[in-house]
Amino acid sequence: MSFITGVGLTPFGRHDGSSSLDLMSKAAQAALDDAGLKRSEIDGILCGYSTVSPHIMLATVFAEHFGIRPSYAHAVQVGGATGLAMTMLAHHLVDAGVARNVLVVAGENRLTGQSRDASIQALAQVGHPDYEVPLGPTIPAYYGLVANRYMHEYGVTEEDLAEFAVLMRAHACTHPGAQFHDPITVADVMASKPVAMPLKLLDCCPVSDGGAAFVISRERTNEAGVCIRGCAQAHTHQHVTTAPGLSELGAEISIARAMEATGLAISDVRYAAIYDSFTITLAMLLEDLGLAGRGEAAARVRAGHFDRDGAMPLNTHGGLLSYGHCGVGGAMAHLVETHLQMTGRAASRQVRDASIALLHGDGGVLSSHVSMFLERVR
């Protein structure tokens, strides 16, 4: 067993003059303070990758910068699934007795520290170097292809996808750290600039500066009794041209493995934190994970099912789509918000019951998946 003993999160948006290491340090110190730990008590560190600072030894670079000397250090790189993959690794490390307190941290000044062209070039490298990259697609284009196929097979419309952007913005409006606080409508999403049809600007997550961190411990260090009940991964492909059919993607595999490992079912879940780089990502993952039937997730949004006071509160901080996306730290914000909900510290966003939570991360183009169950214990 392992416990998430502390969490830290910066606001997302513009942080002029802050480097990636600055943002990581701010989030890391907040997580340590939350856990009631000193830097000297951290004996393991896991870092997410950075496109702004692509150092080949980022974990030890940060350890030096932050002033810690861990007995275990590792950097992890599986795209948007990295945050939960690091959490899973930390869980296994403390469970195996390799470390007592593992700091998981990521952050980037991706908005102010990287040009648009550099960002596009870096992210385009998820494509196959011979069969995809030379044709010019970027990540939005890959997801646009997936969206077109999904809409064709399951009768999903562009207006359906827009519902997810509206929901995430509504949730972000209640969080002071979110990048966006202006409400939007389905009409606003439909009228926004085309990016990679059917995806439009408001169907896509923004680029942000920010940092996130948490501490995974072998034992409780405070009153926060949030344990990692179990987790699992699945990796079905890297390149979209070799992806399996839409009904055979990794989310279905990882959630089945996680449920088998924990003995939990979707009906046990009270709060959901699901990766949402694009509206199509969120729609598909909700359905792949069994939180909605095929082609039915948008209808559940309209019915209020995923609202803060709905049957299955979802991404109550606003998700990647509206809280923001600073690289690996973007998805880690989902776990920070989940922890706050589970410990009753989400202020006006607090849901009725977050005793068991499901988190899911997606890396690449629905390539790498991590499903995780958290449980509040007394």
Side-chain angles (χ1 to χ4, degrees):
M1 180 180 290
S2 67
F3 293 91
I4 302 174
T5 51
V7 295
L9 181 68
T10 73
F12 282 12
R14 294 189 66 89
H15 287 271
D16 291 302
S18 293
S19 69
S20 293
L21 291 175
D22 293 334
L23 295 165
M24 293 167 69
S25 297
K26 185 175 182 179
Q29 187 58 55
L32 264 64
D33 291 344
D34 195 39
L37 294 171
K38 301 175 183 177
R39 296 189 186 191
S40 59
E41 294 177 280
I42 297 297
D43 54 358
I45 183 168
L46 297 174
C47 277
Y49 67 93
S50 168
T51 61
V52 179
S53 305
H55 199 284
I56 62 173
M57 296 177 64
L58 187 57
T60 47
V61 166
F62 177 75
E64 178 184 81
H65 178 83
F66 196 58
I68 59 176
R69 294 185 174 183
S71 58
Y72 185 96
H74 197 65
V76 179
Q77 189 163 339
V78 282
T82 300
L84 288 187
M86 292 194 294
T87 308
M88 182 174 177
L89 177 55
H91 166 64
H92 290 315
L93 288 171
V94 301
D95 189 52
V98 175
R100 184 172 294 276
N101 299 299
V102 178
L103 174 63
V104 179
V105 61
E108 287 190 68
N109 57 331
R110 192 175 281 192
L111 178 60
T112 60
Q114 188 174 54
S115 70
R116 181 184 63 180
D117 289 347
S119 180
I120 290 173
Q121 184 176 19
L123 296 176
Q125 301 314 304
V126 301
H128 193 285
D130 297 322
Y131 305 123
E132 295 174 3
V133 173
L135 300 177
T138 60
I139 288 192
Y142 294 124
Y143 274 93
L145 290 172
V146 173
N148 277 302
R149 186 64 196 178
Y150 199 80
M151 292 165 65
H152 171 75
E153 289 199 16
Y154 298 109
V156 174
T157 68
E158 293 183 39
E159 289 82 2
D160 288 337
L161 296 182
E163 294 284 358
F164 299 96
V166 173
L167 176 65
M168 291 301 98
R169 183 62 61 87
H171 286 173
C173 286
T174 66
H175 196 305
Q179 186 166 349
F180 298 118
H181 292 109
D182 296 325
I184 58 175
T185 65
V186 169
D188 292 329
V189 180
M190 296 298 292
S192 62
K193 181 181 178 180
V195 174
M197 294 305 290
L199 303 177
K200 296 162 287 296
L201 184 63
L202 293 178
D203 286 298
C204 309
C205 63
V207 176
S208 316
D209 296 338
F214 26 88
V215 180
I216 312 298
S217 302
R218 193 182 311 168
E219 300 168 354
R220 293 170 68 158
T221 64
N222 51 32
E223 296 300 316
V226 176
C227 72
I228 298 175
R229 177 75 177 264
C231 37
Q233 298 187 21
H235 307 271
T236 54
H237 64 283
Q238 172 59 41
H239 305 110
V240 71
T241 48
T242 62
L246 293 178
S247 62
E248 303 170 353
L249 293 171
E252 295 182 69
I253 301 170
S254 65
I255 189 61
R257 290 172 177 169
M259 289 191 292
E260 181 179 4
T262 60
L264 292 172
I266 293 300
S267 59
D268 296 315
V269 176
R270 296 294 177 264
Y271 179 86
I274 310 301
Y275 195 81
D276 60 318
S277 52
F278 302 92
T279 52
I280 183 60
T281 317
L282 186 54
M284 290 180 65
L285 289 178
L286 287 170
E287 296 171 9
D288 288 350
L289 295 168
L291 292 167
R294 294 292 184 191
E296 297 175 2
R300 289 204 163 190
V301 173
R302 294 188 188 99
H305 184 79
F306 298 115
D307 289 353
R308 179 181 61 80
D309 57 354
M312 184 62 68
L314 170 71
N315 298 353
T316 50
H317 64 306
L320 299 171
L321 285 166
S322 278
Y323 190 89
H325 196 353
C326 64
V328 172
M332 289 171 62
H334 289 64
L335 189 146
V336 172
E337 176 71 3
T338 302
H339 193 273
L340 294 177
Q341 291 286 359
M342 298 185 82
T343 54
R345 299 183 294 160
S348 63
R349 306 184 310 282
Q350 188 63 49
V351 303
R352 290 189 302 270
D353 179 11
S355 54
I356 295 180
L358 167 62
L359 298 91
H360 186 87
D362 156 44
V365 187
L366 301 166
S367 312
S368 293
H369 296 266
V370 182
S371 298
M372 179 174 295
F373 287 100
L374 304 184
E375 183 177 11
R376 185 177 64 229
V377 294
R378 298 299 182 186

